[in-house]
């Protein structure tokens, strides 16, 4: 708990609640409506990270939330500041990532009267958040923000929005003076009525704001599924010949429990596929972790546990799981647990807590060495196949060979951020995240443009360690201007642009089906020179021989606190042939 003097202005009240929750940074792009929030946050020692696009600020808050389990926070100005966040808000909602968005708004007395940047923000934001509060009194600001934190992190996590009109953020004296001036000095009856009205209005804005105010912090908690469901799941796994676990992002919603969830998986002993934020949970290598041919394994398995994974397009709407298999779904969301396919056992509650509870009940009864060996052999065969493909040489750089080299070069504390099409899908098969919470991708919304914001968020959540921002050349266009933010904030990021001069993931199918590449072609742009313009380092890699030295130079720059962009000219590959997501 952290207090604030009772006369605290609105901005200070907001900052006090952020401080009480241990918020490490406030991501923003400035605007007159939110200035008091930024100034008060800085005064409280909260790092203010200003970006070049409001979407970046929200993506960064999303990444902080995913890596720490505590809602990330962004503040944006009224109107266009807020409209620019919508894609990032939706992405966080679909990824079930808890964040708090603070939005400015026109002065309360002028809303709906044509004030600057004044729009009705509720209908715009409401579909994308799980909590929305339009604050109208200074005294309500602190409680509204505390409630936003509580809502964002509880149940199925997601974004929360608090609208803070500018006239409740400044101090009472300034606002009263402002309203007095707005009332003018006219002597007519209507002038006097206006002044009376504005005086009453100011009175209501500040009502109760002289009472003592203390910021409330909300603890993140999670509900574990019912004991009965855990016991039934344990019995089903113990009876299975080919048990299989698929663990997804939601199992890591309590980021601080990552090691405990990893320990539970090791103790359960069944083979595991990790997806989304759960990638890397078992480290770079683990005897139980399989990386390839998930579909085949799912089709073979007679008991599948989906821990925090819905049956959406990534599991072919549930069709990857055999009809006769016993399906166990552990999920905070009742809807997600049942989507497209009714599980035999629905364990409603935190998926990580489910695994933690399952391990001691199951003990070692689901360890099947023969089945594990079969899957291991298939994994090894796929790795050997990748090696063969990685050995192929063309004019420029083979993407598979590139990621094999990057996997060797990156440090043990590296965090990888994936933003793009085929280039990053290839990365997801080859790069091995080093440990828990060391891989960030957009999630179910498949949003291009998350990368720069995610890298900023990762830098705040994990100040030590390398940050690799893997960009398709198409995707890089959304975030290149943030190299400016990396440089200004002295946040070293190693950005890698997979330059195949095109939106290849789309071109691949479009050309095959429609025989035209219209709209999918880019140039071999000199992205590394763009980076230099922003004050970062730039490295160009055009051939295989340049890959290893180029990566080592990039790491050396980052180690001295500099950001660097590595522009890699890619050759075509058929590695992603046939993969299409709808
Ligand atoms: C915001 C957004 N716009 C468009 C798409 C559709 N889309 C998916 S992958 C892709 C191509 C990405 O190109 P690039 O980043 O260069 O990666 P590549 O496939 O070429 O490796 C596009 C346009 C999307 N997912 N998100
Ligand atoms: Mg591309």
């Amino acid at each position: 708990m952290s207090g604030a003097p009772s006369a605290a202005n609105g901005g200070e009240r907001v900052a006090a609640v952020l401080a009480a929750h241990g918020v490490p940074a406030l991501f923003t792009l400035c605007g007159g409506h939110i200035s008091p929030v930024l100034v008060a946050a800085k005064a409280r020692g909260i790092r203010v990270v200003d970006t070049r696009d409001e979407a970046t600020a929200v993506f960064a808050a999303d990444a902080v939330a995913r890596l720490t389990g505590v809602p990330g926070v962004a503040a944006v100005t009224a109107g266009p500041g807020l409209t620019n966040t919508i894609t990032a808000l939706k992405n966080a909602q679909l990824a079930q990532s808890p964040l708090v968005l603070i939005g400015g708004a026109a002065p309360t007395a002028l809303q709906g009267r044509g004030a600057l940047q004044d729009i009705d923000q509720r209908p715009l934001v409401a579909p994308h958040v799980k909590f929305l509060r339009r604050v109208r009194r200074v005294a309500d600001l602190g409680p509204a923000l505390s409630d936003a934190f509580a809502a964002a992190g509880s149940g199925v996590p997601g974004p929360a929005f608090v609208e803070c009109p500018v006239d409740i953020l400044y101090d009472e004296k300034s606002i009263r003076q402002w309203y007095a001036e707005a009332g003018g000095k006219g002597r007519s009856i209507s002038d006097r009525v206006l002044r009376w009205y504005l005086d009453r209005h100011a009175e209501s804005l500040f009502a109760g704001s002289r009472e003592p105010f203390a910021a409330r912090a909300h603890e993140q908690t999670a509900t574990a599924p019912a004991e009965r469901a855990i016991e039934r799941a344990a019995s089903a796994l113990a009876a299975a010949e080919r048990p299989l676990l698929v663990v997804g992002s939601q199992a890591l919603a309590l980021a601080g429990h990552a090691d405990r969830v990893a320990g539970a998986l090791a103790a359960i002993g069944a083979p595991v596929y990790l997806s989304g934020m759960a990638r890397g949970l078992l480290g770079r290598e683990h005897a139980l972790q399989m990386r390839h041919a998930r579909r085949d394994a799912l089709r073979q398995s007679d008991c599948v546990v989906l821990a925090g994974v819905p049956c959406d397009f990534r599991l072919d709407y549930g069709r990857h799981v055999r009809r006769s298999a016993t399906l166990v779904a552990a999920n905070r969301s009742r809807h997600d647990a049942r989507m497209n396919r009714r599980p035999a056992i629905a364990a409603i509650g935190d998926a990580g807590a489910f695994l933690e509870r399952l391990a001691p009940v199951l003990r070692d009864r689901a360890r099947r060495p023969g089945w594990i060996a079969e899957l291991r052999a298939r994994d090894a065969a796929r790795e050997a196949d990748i090696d063969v493909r990685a050995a192929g040489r063309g004019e420029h750089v083979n993407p598979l060979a590139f990621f094999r080299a990057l996997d060797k070069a990156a440090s043990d504390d590296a965090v990888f951020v994936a933003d793009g099409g085929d280039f990053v899908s290839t990365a997801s098969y080859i790069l091995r995240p080093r440990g828990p919470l060391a891989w960030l991708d957009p999630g179910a919304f498949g949003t291009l443009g998350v990368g720069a914001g995610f890298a900023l968020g990762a830098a705040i959540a994990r100040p030590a360690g390398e940050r690799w921002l893997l960009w398709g050349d198409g995707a890089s266009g959304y975030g290149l201007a943030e190299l400016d933010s990396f440089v200004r904030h002295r946040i070293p990021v190693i950005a890698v642009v997979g330059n195949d001069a095109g939106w290849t993931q789309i071109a691949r199918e479009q050309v095959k089906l429609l025989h035209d590449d219209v709209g999918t072609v880019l140039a071999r742009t000199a992205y590394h020179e763009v980076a230099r313009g922003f004050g970062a380092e730039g490295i160009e890699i055009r051939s295989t021989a340049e890959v290893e030295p180029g990566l080592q130079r990039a790491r050396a720059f980052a180690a001295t606190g500099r950001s660097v962009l590595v522009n890699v000219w890619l050759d075509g590959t058929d590695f992603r042939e046939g993969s299409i997501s709808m």
Side-chain angles (χ1 to χ4, degrees), residues 19 245 327 383 397 426 570:
L245 306 187
L327 182 64
E383 289 292 337
V397 177
T426 301
L570 300 178

Side-chain angles (χ1 to χ4, degrees), residues 33 78 104-116 118 134-138 140-141 163-169 175 178-179 197-198 200-206:
H33 292 100
T108 46
L110 295 180
Q111 290 185 3
R113 294 164 182 249
L116 172 73
D118 177 31
R134 300 175 71 204
V135 184
R136 287 292 171 273
R137 285 169 9 125
V138 175
D140 296 338
L141 260 175
E163 184 188 84
C164 309
V166 61
D167 52 346
I168 61 170
L169 292 178
I175 294 300
W178 182 79
Y179 273 117
Y197 167 78
L198 289 176
R200 285 279 305 269
H201 187 77
E203 202 57 48
S204 81
L205 290 182
F206 291 97

Side-chain angles (χ1 to χ4, degrees), residues 472-474 498-504 522:
D473 51 345
N499 194 337
D500 54 8
W503 305 89
T504 302
L522 295 168

